[in-house]
Amino acid sequence: MGLLESIGSGLITNLLSYTIKKKFSKHTFNNEKPTEVNAISKRLTQVLELMNDGREEALTIAQLSQMFQFKKISKLEKYFLGQKEPSIEFLKEFSAKFAINSKWLIQGQEEPFKFDQEHYSNCYDCIQKIHELNPTTIYFIRSDSICGETCILLEINEYHFLILNHSLHFSGQVGWGGSCELASFRKLVMKLILEENFLTLGLVIPKRKFSDLYKGKIYPNTILKYKNGKIMHWHDDFTDIHNQRCGYQYHNKYDQNFKDAFRITKSHIEKYEEP
């Protein structure tokens, strides 16, 4: 890449957000409906801003053009500026690469980061998807609400984060089905840690943050970058129902939801799963 082209790319990248915001402000003032090309360019810019939120080094248009093997940076810049309509193939490729909801990016429907559309019959059923994606890190994220909603976040690489489309309640507010799901969760965690040696971490975050994360309203890595909760190994200690790995010594530092879910799961396994 030539020096002048690099300088020009940097200037356009820095002015990109301002240019599009100005363009859409003008449309709003004149009560005009933005064209579909402009709407897509606005969503492309929005998702890039969300992905860069909290990052020490922002992902640039120049870097994106290299990832997608564009010969000229200007081609991608035109997509972001609304000067050229991107192909459906490119938008789908962009969505897949960064775990963006293609319906949102192409049509403006649903939420930007609600990417996983699979349906899992229980928590352990997620194992196939995890094997398919082979994440570098698996996060078990729990809400601090009364119900303790819990989901699984996969980090595939530094730009690709995926929330699996399955959640469970991690608390004492569960019935028979909930206790079965807690046992299924324990089975999954044990499989990933003890047999397959995946790197796993646990996180407890505020209720509202969890809701936005699971619904796909916020970029998953934002939760990790801003540390909207404390990283811990509650999920690992939860599996140690017979204290074989000295997990009991850490129970006092966990909340009541953990203690209630642990008690329910231990009782369920002793009654229905162990000889």
Side-chain angles (χ1 to χ4, degrees), residues 116-139:
D116 186 27
Q117 302 295 327
E118 299 285 345
H119 293 283
Y120 307 96
S121 57
N122 56 57
C123 201
Y124 189 79
D125 197 30
C126 296
I127 192 76
Q128 183 175 350
K129 190 71 172 181
I130 294 172
H131 287 162
E132 175 189 328
L133 296 173
N134 192 28
T136 59
T137 309
I138 302 171
Y139 296 90

Side-chain angles (χ1 to χ4, degrees), residues 93-116:
E93 184 182 358
F94 188 95
S95 298
K97 194 171 192 67
F98 301 114
I100 307 300
N101 185 345
S102 60
K103 287 185 179 179
W104 176 83
L105 186 59
I106 298 171
Q107 304 172 16
Q109 298 177 1
E110 302 178 356
E111 300 293 347
F113 298 104
K114 190 63 175 178
F115 180 76
D116 186 27

Side-chain angles (χ1 to χ4, degrees), residues 14 44 55 58 95 120 131 159 184 187 190 204 208 248:
N14 291 334
L44 282 169
R55 290 183 61 87
S95 298
Y120 307 96
H131 287 162
Y159 304 115
S184 176
K187 181 181 177 182
M190 291 181 66
V204 180
R208 177 175 292 183
Y248 283 20

Side-chain angles (χ1 to χ4, degrees), residues 25-37:
S25 176
K26 181 178 180 181
H27 277 300
T28 302
F29 181 80
N30 293 329
N31 293 320
E32 297 176 4
K33 184 178 180 180
T35 67
E36 188 60 32
V37 175

Side-chain angles (χ1 to χ4, degrees), residues 169-203:
H169 286 176
F170 199 92
S171 70
Q173 308 290 320
V174 298
W176 164 253
S179 64
C180 291
E181 186 68 346
L182 285 169
S184 176
F185 175 80
R186 175 181 180 267
K187 181 181 177 182
L188 173 67
V189 175
M190 291 181 66
K191 176 76 172 177
L192 295 173
I193 295 178
L194 301 180
E195 297 184 29
E196 302 185 349
N197 297 314
F198 276 100
L199 174 61
T200 65
L201 294 170
L203 190 65

Side-chain angles (χ1 to χ4, degrees), residues 51 55 59 63 67 97-99 157-161 219:
M51 289 170 60
R55 290 183 61 87
L59 183 62
Q63 290 173 315
M67 290 181 186
K97 194 171 192 67
F98 301 114
N157 57 50
E158 62 176 319
Y159 304 115
H160 190 137
F161 296 84
Y219 184 49

Side-chain angles (χ1 to χ4, degrees), residues 237-252:
D237 295 330
F238 172 74
T239 67
D240 191 15
I241 62 173
H242 297 305
N243 203 30
Q244 295 170 320
R245 302 190 305 282
C246 302
Y248 283 20
Q249 65 179 310
Y250 302 108
H251 283 203
N252 286 336

